[in-house]
Amino acid sequence: MADSPSPDSEPTTRTLLRRVLDTADVRSPRRRRSARNAIQRSVFETTSSRSLGSQTKTSVRRRSHGARSIGRLAHVQASAYLEKDTPRTLLKNILLTAPESSIMMPNPVVKLVPLSQVVQSYRRESSQGSLELQLPELDPPTTLGPGLPTSSRKKQRLRLSVFQQEVNQGLPLSQGEVPNFPYASFLFTRSLNLTFTTPLQPQSVRRPGLARRPPTRRAVDVGALLQDLQDNSVASAPPGDSLRIPVATQPTNIVLEDTQPFSQPLVSSFPSVHHSLPHPPHTGVEDAERTLDRRTWNSGLELQDHMSRTDYATTSSPISELQPPLPEVTEAAGSEEAVRVKELEGSSEDEDTSGEPASPELATSTPELLQLPPPPGVGVLPSEPLEPVPARLPSRPRAAGPRPYRDPYRTGLSHYVKLFSFHAKMPMEKKAVEMVERCLDKYFQNLCNDLEVFAAHAGRKTVKPEDLELLLRRQGLVTDEVSMHVLVEQHLPMEYRQLLIPCAFSGNSVFPAH
Amino acid sequence: MKEAEAEEQQEFSYQQRLKAAVHYTMGCLCNEVALDKEVQFSKQTIAAISEVTFQQCEHFAKDLEMFARHAKRSTISTEDVKLLARRSNSLLKYITEKNEEIAQLNQEQKAKKKKKLENETKNSIEPEDTEVMESEN
């Protein structure tokens, strides 16, 4: 056993430890070995990192198989503990009691300290070329603790500077005592450099999706939106904000908005649909306009089932009729719309998509539809959205200045058109945007007609999820391999999954169990 | 394994025969149209159209089956066919007209059958009635 006296007369832990270990009743050879190693390590610990005495708690986790723990426990309790506990249990105790600190990059100190331990232990055991060995060991600690609290970051940062100072101070002092210590310090500094170069990795590892996103996308989105807003001369916040506002409560929005621009309309509109109340149509028309943006797609689905020709003003009477069928339709609408958004780009960009039964029919029907008089559904669409003008946007300041007349059944599509222009990645002419709007309109009308016909085909007057499933089947989205529930899970927010899929959260447990 | 392969081959050859039949019919139709409109059809055109027709037939069949199942029936009916053809107005009109004709025919046939049955039953009942009356008497 090493018995070089503790040079710096730090009486408490070291001496206690040595005494304890000398006198402890060693039960197994493992014990003895670990005790020996512990003592050896403790010697070097004292010489080099005495100032880190309190800070090496975390290092213990990595390297010292109970040396520190033994020391501390001895400090705290009687030596009898050593006989009962194995180094592993002691380590566990420390893990339980020690303050949390992140092993990841925000805590470069932590890495440095274990590295120092590593350095010393390796110096004893292996050759000096072991620096390379240390590098891979650093990596696992970095990826281990993603969930550790960040509150200790600042503390650790402070310690880093302190550590730096103390290392610089401690180096000259302890040079004489332990041979090869300059090498240790050299390793320290080298390790310092090493660890400081790793910081980038953990951050990206933690949030891979966001790190890879090209930063320019955001700028395009806002720019195009603002341009369109100016064109429409609606002096309000960009639709992105207005969409976010009503859904302030749900945290899932944030994730969805960052990673999937599609789901914005869904996330914002669905809760509003479900919480909507019949509302007199004479509320802030501005609110109506905004809800129109989000609602017309929904309206298209519902209205065509129930009302064919209703005037814009006489909405109050049909509203009550709408209320009961709404809940059924909205759920159906939800799953359809999620897929619809995906379909949008494919259909609007290229109407000749092959392999889909709907699209050749669409192509043939467009010449017919263009011949039709202004579609009878004009009055249909706007009447419904007023109904869900709910108390979501209670106190929105009125837009300044007169607002030009907005074609009611086009306004709802403006959001999809903006999405389209966003994904086009190049600026679009106004005429092109209008064309896209018209195509989208026809497309949605077609879909709604289909839904109505399907419902009638089954002898019903209400559109139900079965009708939507049939529609999706015809689109080729629901196949024998992919069921509608899969699509619901993929594209809709969690809340609707619960509503649409029976036993979504049952977790495969059946009662009564067999 | 071998049976499966043999079946597959059979199916494939069956499919090929069907495709050939469609192609032949398409050729005849195209020739008619060519004579009518005084335009010429190249072979690739005919081949392309027949290929598309064949695939459309597959689609239609699947759709019809889906519609029938949607209406909770196990047989494809004229309603399903009408639903399928709703896209193009002229086709829909044509189909509905044909449907009405067929319905009329069916009704006429049924009426005829009923008459026959009635006659037979009348003939059989009358002697019975007379018997009954006689017996009552």
Side-chain angles (χ1 to χ4, degrees):
Chain A
M1 294 190 200
D3 37 288
S4 55
S6 165
D8 297 325
S9 70
E10 217 183 21
T12 52
T13 36
R14 305 292 157 261
T15 49
L16 261 178
L17 169 65
R18 215 167 295 118
R19 255 180 255 154
V20 154
L21 287 171
D22 289 346
T23 59
D25 185 15
V26 177
R27 293 253 176 102
S28 63
R30 226 196 209 180
R31 248 318 157 105
R32 207 171 286 143
R33 240 192 296 130
S34 70
R36 212 175 291 146
N37 285 343
I39 292 171
Q40 286 171 358
R41 275 188 216 129
S42 69
V43 169
F44 296 110
E45 282 168 20
T46 58
T47 56
S48 55
S49 54
R50 86 197 98 87
S51 54
L52 299 174
S54 61
Q55 295 167 7
T56 50
K57 282 184 199 171
T58 52
S59 66
V60 174
R61 282 181 223 165
R62 284 286 113 211
R63 282 294 124 196
S64 64
H65 289 280
R68 271 325 202 144
S69 56
I70 291 173
R72 204 179 304 115
L73 272 177
H75 181 65
V76 172
Q77 293 156 1
S79 60
Y81 260 76
L82 284 174
E83 298 173 14
K84 293 175 192 168
D85 294 355
T86 61
R88 198 164 291 178
T89 57
L90 289 173
L91 201 57
K92 269 191 206 166
N93 284 333
I94 289 176
L95 281 170
L96 288 174
T97 57
E100 288 181 9
S101 60
S102 165
I103 302 182
M104 285 183 64
M105 195 41 228
N107 276 333
V109 183
V110 181
K111 281 194 222 160
L112 291 168
V113 173
L115 184 59
S116 70
Q117 301 289 330
V118 170
V119 166
Q120 284 145 358
S121 57
Y122 270 114
R123 255 190 312 107
R124 291 306 290 179
E125 293 154 13
S126 59
S127 67
Q128 289 179 359
S130 63
L131 183 59
E132 300 94 40
L133 287 174
Q134 291 155 12
L135 287 176
E137 277 157 16
L138 270 179
D139 290 346
T142 59
T143 55
L144 266 179
L148 293 174
T150 60
S151 57
S152 54
R153 245 185 250 176
K154 285 187 182 172
K155 251 200 310 180
Q156 300 294 343
R157 279 195 194 134
L158 280 175
R159 287 191 198 166
L160 168 62
S161 55
V162 168
F163 170 67
Q164 266 182 315
Q165 291 165 17
E166 280 164 344
V167 161
N168 294 335
Q169 286 167 14
L171 282 179
L173 275 177
S174 48
Q175 263 182 10
E177 288 139 12
V178 182
N180 297 334
F181 192 78
Y183 184 75
S185 67
F186 172 64
L187 284 171
F188 277 161
T189 49
R190 278 190 69 177
S191 68
L192 276 170
N193 295 338
L194 287 168
T195 51
F196 285 145
T197 52
T198 52
L200 296 174
Q201 191 201 5
Q203 282 178 0
S204 63
V205 161
R206 221 183 314 155
R207 298 168 103 191
L210 293 177
R212 289 191 218 121
R213 267 176 81 234
T216 55
R217 274 177 90 184
R218 275 286 175 202
V220 172
D221 194 9
V222 172
L225 287 176
L226 287 175
Q227 225 182 22
D228 288 328
L229 282 170
Q230 281 171 11
D231 293 340
N232 293 333
S233 73
V234 172
S236 61
D241 293 345
S242 67
L243 281 172
R244 274 176 219 150
I245 285 168
V247 200
T249 53
Q250 300 180 8
T252 54
N253 290 355
I254 301 162
V255 175
L256 289 173
E257 280 166 357
D258 279 342
T259 56
Q260 289 181 346
F262 286 160
S263 41
Q264 266 183 9
L266 299 179
V267 171
S268 62
S269 54
F270 267 77
S272 62
V273 165
H274 278 274
H275 303 313
S276 67
L277 305 165
H279 203 93
H282 305 297
T283 50
V285 186
E286 192 181 328
D287 295 352
E289 290 290 349
R290 210 163 289 111
T291 55
L292 271 178
D293 285 352
R294 283 169 248 133
R295 288 270 70 82
T296 19
W297 59 266
N298 208 357
S299 67
L301 291 170
E302 295 150 4
L303 280 178
Q304 306 221 357
D305 299 327
H306 308 288
M307 329 188 294
S308 45
R309 322 264 181 274
T310 51
D311 200 359
Y312 194 88
T314 62
T315 53
S316 43
S317 49
I319 284 174
S320 52
E321 290 174 339
L322 272 179
Q323 232 356 59
L326 238 196
E328 294 167 304
V329 182
T330 51
E331 294 172 6
S335 52
E336 190 234 26
E337 188 222 11
V339 184
R340 211 45 58 231
V341 177
K342 267 189 144 190
E343 284 294 304
L344 268 183
E345 297 178 19
S347 63
S348 49
E349 286 174 9
D350 180 12
E351 291 199 347
D352 292 338
T353 50
S354 61
E356 284 190 357
S359 43
E361 294 172 54
L362 180 70
T364 54
S365 64
T366 41
E368 304 177 335
L369 288 171
L370 286 171
Q371 292 163 18
L372 283 175
V378 171
V380 171
L381 289 164
S383 44
E384 187 276 344
L386 291 186
E387 175 268 321
V389 170
R392 277 180 299 126
L393 309 168
S395 56
R396 274 247 153 182
R398 266 244 169 201
R403 209 182 320 107
Y405 172 70
R406 293 172 70 168
D407 207 1
Y409 74 106
R410 297 258 180 91
T411 51
L413 296 171
S414 62
H415 182 79
Y416 290 104
V417 168
K418 281 166 194 164
L419 274 176
F420 181 86
S421 61
F422 164 72
H423 283 282
K425 287 177 189 156
M426 43 166 78
M428 283 177 62
E429 275 186 345
K430 211 178 174 185
K431 287 206 169 180
V433 169
E434 279 180 34
M435 282 319 292
V436 168
E437 235 186 64
R438 257 184 264 160
C439 293
L440 281 177
D441 188 42
K442 301 263 184 281
Y443 181 74
F444 280 130
Q445 280 188 1
N446 247 334
L447 287 182
C448 301
N449 282 334
D450 283 359
L451 279 177
E452 184 186 354
V453 163
F454 290 158
H457 184 74
R460 283 185 263 112
K461 289 186 186 173
T462 326
V463 178
K464 292 214 153 160
E466 291 89 37
D467 303 321
L468 265 162
E469 176 146 12
L470 186 65
L471 186 71
L472 290 177
R473 242 179 212 280
R474 296 207 69 214
Q475 301 271 351
L477 292 158
V478 171
T479 64
D480 295 331
E481 286 110 39
V482 178
S483 87
M484 186 149 105
H485 290 177
V486 169
L487 289 176
V488 167
E489 289 195 7
Q490 277 181 359
H491 300 288
L492 290 188
M494 276 277 281
E495 294 79 16
Y496 299 101
R497 181 170 159 261
Q498 198 179 8
L499 289 166
L500 290 169
I501 303 179
C503 318
F505 292 131
S506 68
N508 276 342
S509 63
V510 179
F511 180 81
H514 284 294
Chain B
M1 280 287 288
K2 282 186 184 174
E3 291 171 3
E5 282 179 16
E7 276 185 33
E8 269 188 45
Q9 279 184 0
Q10 268 191 1
E11 267 194 46
F12 188 63
S13 63
Y14 191 62
Q15 222 185 28
Q16 294 291 77
R17 273 187 281 152
L18 284 172
K19 274 195 188 174
V22 168
H23 188 82
Y24 176 70
T25 323
M26 193 57 57
C28 296
L29 282 170
C30 287
N31 285 336
E32 277 185 34
V33 174
L35 286 173
D36 199 16
K37 310 272 179 184
E38 293 173 10
V39 286
Q40 303 243 326
F41 277 87
S42 67
K43 294 229 164 150
Q44 290 101 345
T45 320
I46 301 176
I49 301 175
S50 60
E51 184 72 30
V52 169
T53 317
F54 192 74
Q55 286 184 6
Q56 279 291 76
C57 284
E58 281 192 52
H59 276 305
F60 287 160
K62 286 187 192 158
D63 285 350
L64 284 171
E65 188 197 337
M66 278 200 294
F67 290 151
R69 203 185 304 160
H70 183 72
K72 290 165 193 160
R73 278 185 265 116
S74 55
T75 330
I76 294 175
S77 81
T78 50
E79 296 297 321
D80 300 323
V81 178
K82 276 195 245 174
L83 192 66
L84 189 71
R86 76 191 178 289
R87 287 283 174 177
S88 87
N89 279 346
S90 50
L91 187 60
L92 185 63
K93 247 200 279 176
Y94 185 72
I95 287 183
T96 38
E97 281 174 17
K98 284 283 173 183
N99 193 22
E100 283 167 18
E101 279 180 36
I102 293 175
Q104 273 185 359
L105 276 173
N106 282 346
Q107 278 193 355
E108 286 172 16
Q109 282 186 358
K110 276 186 188 173
K112 281 185 192 172
K113 279 186 185 174
K114 268 191 183 176
K115 278 186 188 171
K116 277 190 191 172
L117 279 171
E118 282 177 10
N119 286 339
E120 287 172 17
T121 47
K122 271 187 195 170
N123 290 337
S124 58
I125 285 171
E126 277 171 1
E128 287 178 7
D129 285 343
T130 51
E131 285 178 13
V132 167
M133 284 180 54
E134 287 172 3
S135 63
E136 281 178 3
N137 284 345

